[in-house]
PDB file of all heavy atoms in Angstrom:
ATOM      1  N   PHE A 149     -31.500  58.885 -60.034  1.00 95.00           N
ATOM      2  CA  PHE A 149     -30.612  57.722 -59.815  1.00 95.00           C
ATOM      3  C   PHE A 149     -31.285  56.413 -59.726  1.00 95.00           C
ATOM      4  O   PHE A 149     -32.149  56.342 -58.949  1.00 95.00           O
ATOM      5  CB  PHE A 149     -29.636  57.996 -58.547  1.00 95.00           C
ATOM      6  CG  PHE A 149     -29.113  59.407 -58.677  1.00 95.00           C
ATOM      7  CD1 PHE A 149     -29.268  60.263 -57.677  1.00 95.00           C
ATOM      8  CD2 PHE A 149     -28.144  59.687 -59.610  1.00 95.00           C
ATOM      9  CE1 PHE A 149     -28.770  61.606 -57.645  1.00 95.00           C
ATOM     10  CE2 PHE A 149     -27.345  60.912 -59.597  1.00 95.00           C
ATOM     11  CZ  PHE A 149     -27.782  61.836 -58.557  1.00 95.00           C
ATOM     12  N   PRO A 158     -25.209  57.598 -54.754  1.00 97.00           N
ATOM     13  CA  PRO A 158     -25.185  58.566 -55.834  1.00 97.00           C
ATOM     14  C   PRO A 158     -25.651  60.085 -55.380  1.00 97.00           C
ATOM     15  O   PRO A 158     -25.196  61.129 -55.883  1.00 97.00           O
ATOM     16  CB  PRO A 158     -26.194  58.078 -56.793  1.00 97.00           C
ATOM     17  CG  PRO A 158     -26.876  57.065 -56.195  1.00 97.00           C
ATOM     18  CD  PRO A 158     -26.068  56.583 -55.039  1.00 97.00           C
ATOM     19  N   THR A 161     -22.760  61.564 -53.574  1.00 98.00           N
ATOM     20  CA  THR A 161     -21.748  61.850 -54.521  1.00 98.00           C
ATOM     21  C   THR A 161     -21.991  63.036 -55.465  1.00 98.00           C
ATOM     22  O   THR A 161     -21.120  63.732 -55.748  1.00 98.00           O
ATOM     23  CB  THR A 161     -21.527  60.493 -55.319  1.00 98.00           C
ATOM     24  OG1 THR A 161     -21.225  59.371 -54.467  1.00 98.00           O
ATOM     25  CG2 THR A 161     -20.498  60.643 -56.423  1.00 98.00           C
ATOM     26  N   ALA A 162     -23.287  63.147 -55.842  1.00 98.00           N
ATOM     27  CA  ALA A 162     -23.637  64.197 -56.625  1.00 98.00           C
ATOM     28  C   ALA A 162     -23.466  65.537 -56.030  1.00 98.00           C
ATOM     29  O   ALA A 162     -22.992  66.445 -56.516  1.00 98.00           O
ATOM     30  CB  ALA A 162     -25.144  64.069 -57.121  1.00 98.00           C
ATOM     31  N   THR A 165     -19.888  66.309 -55.757  1.00 98.00           N
ATOM     32  CA  THR A 165     -19.368  66.721 -57.158  1.00 98.00           C
ATOM     33  C   THR A 165     -19.769  68.168 -57.544  1.00 98.00           C
ATOM     34  O   THR A 165     -18.930  68.800 -58.128  1.00 98.00           O
ATOM     35  CB  THR A 165     -20.113  65.778 -58.169  1.00 98.00           C
ATOM     36  OG1 THR A 165     -19.733  64.429 -57.940  1.00 98.00           O
ATOM     37  CG2 THR A 165     -19.836  66.138 -59.678  1.00 98.00           C
ATOM     38  N   PRO A 216     -22.800  54.901 -57.412  1.00 96.00           N
ATOM     39  CA  PRO A 216     -22.550  56.409 -57.879  1.00 96.00           C
ATOM     40  C   PRO A 216     -22.169  56.529 -59.224  1.00 96.00           C
ATOM     41  O   PRO A 216     -21.821  57.585 -59.672  1.00 96.00           O
ATOM     42  CB  PRO A 216     -21.438  56.807 -56.903  1.00 96.00           C
ATOM     43  CG  PRO A 216     -20.746  55.472 -56.747  1.00 96.00           C
ATOM     44  CD  PRO A 216     -21.754  54.354 -56.655  1.00 96.00           C
ATOM     45  N   THR A 217     -22.142  55.465 -60.074  1.00 96.00           N
ATOM     46  CA  THR A 217     -21.543  55.547 -61.512  1.00 96.00           C
ATOM     47  C   THR A 217     -22.393  56.458 -62.367  1.00 96.00           C
ATOM     48  O   THR A 217     -21.841  56.655 -63.481  1.00 96.00           O
ATOM     49  CB  THR A 217     -21.414  54.086 -61.986  1.00 96.00           C
ATOM     50  OG1 THR A 217     -22.598  53.443 -62.109  1.00 96.00           O
ATOM     51  CG2 THR A 217     -20.390  53.272 -61.203  1.00 96.00           C
ATOM     52  N   ASP A 218     -23.619  56.653 -62.144  1.00 92.00           N
ATOM     53  CA  ASP A 218     -24.365  57.420 -63.082  1.00 92.00           C
ATOM     54  C   ASP A 218     -24.455  58.963 -62.698  1.00 92.00           C
ATOM     55  O   ASP A 218     -25.390  59.616 -63.095  1.00 92.00           O
ATOM     56  CB  ASP A 218     -25.804  56.828 -63.234  1.00 92.00           C
ATOM     57  CG  ASP A 218     -26.604  56.793 -62.044  1.00 92.00           C
ATOM     58  OD1 ASP A 218     -26.061  56.975 -60.926  1.00 92.00           O
ATOM     59  OD2 ASP A 218     -27.909  56.558 -62.027  1.00 92.00           O
ATOM     60  N   VAL A 219     -23.665  59.393 -61.766  1.00 96.00           N
ATOM     61  CA  VAL A 219     -23.598  60.734 -61.331  1.00 96.00           C
ATOM     62  C   VAL A 219     -22.937  61.552 -62.418  1.00 96.00           C
ATOM     63  O   VAL A 219     -21.912  61.190 -63.035  1.00 96.00           O
ATOM     64  CB  VAL A 219     -22.811  60.982 -60.027  1.00 96.00           C
ATOM     65  CG1 VAL A 219     -22.551  62.407 -59.697  1.00 96.00           C
ATOM     66  CG2 VAL A 219     -23.656  60.328 -58.872  1.00 96.00           C
ATOM     67  N   THR A 220     -23.581  62.614 -62.798  1.00 96.00           N
ATOM     68  CA  THR A 220     -22.969  63.708 -63.662  1.00 96.00           C
ATOM     69  C   THR A 220     -23.101  65.189 -63.119  1.00 96.00           C
ATOM     70  O   THR A 220     -23.900  65.261 -62.193  1.00 96.00           O
ATOM     71  CB  THR A 220     -23.777  63.719 -65.044  1.00 96.00           C
ATOM     72  OG1 THR A 220     -25.165  64.232 -64.759  1.00 96.00           O
ATOM     73  CG2 THR A 220     -24.009  62.362 -65.612  1.00 96.00           C
ATOM     74  N   PRO A 221     -22.142  65.966 -63.591  1.00 96.00           N
ATOM     75  CA  PRO A 221     -22.265  67.432 -63.065  1.00 96.00           C
ATOM     76  C   PRO A 221     -23.654  67.888 -63.145  1.00 96.00           C
ATOM     77  O   PRO A 221     -24.064  68.796 -62.404  1.00 96.00           O
ATOM     78  CB  PRO A 221     -21.203  68.032 -63.863  1.00 96.00           C
ATOM     79  CG  PRO A 221     -20.249  66.946 -64.256  1.00 96.00           C
ATOM     80  CD  PRO A 221     -21.085  65.743 -64.502  1.00 96.00           C
TER      81      PRO A 221
END
Side-chain angles (χ1 to χ4, degrees):
F149 308 114
T161 302
T165 295
T217 60
D218 61 347
V219 169
T220 66

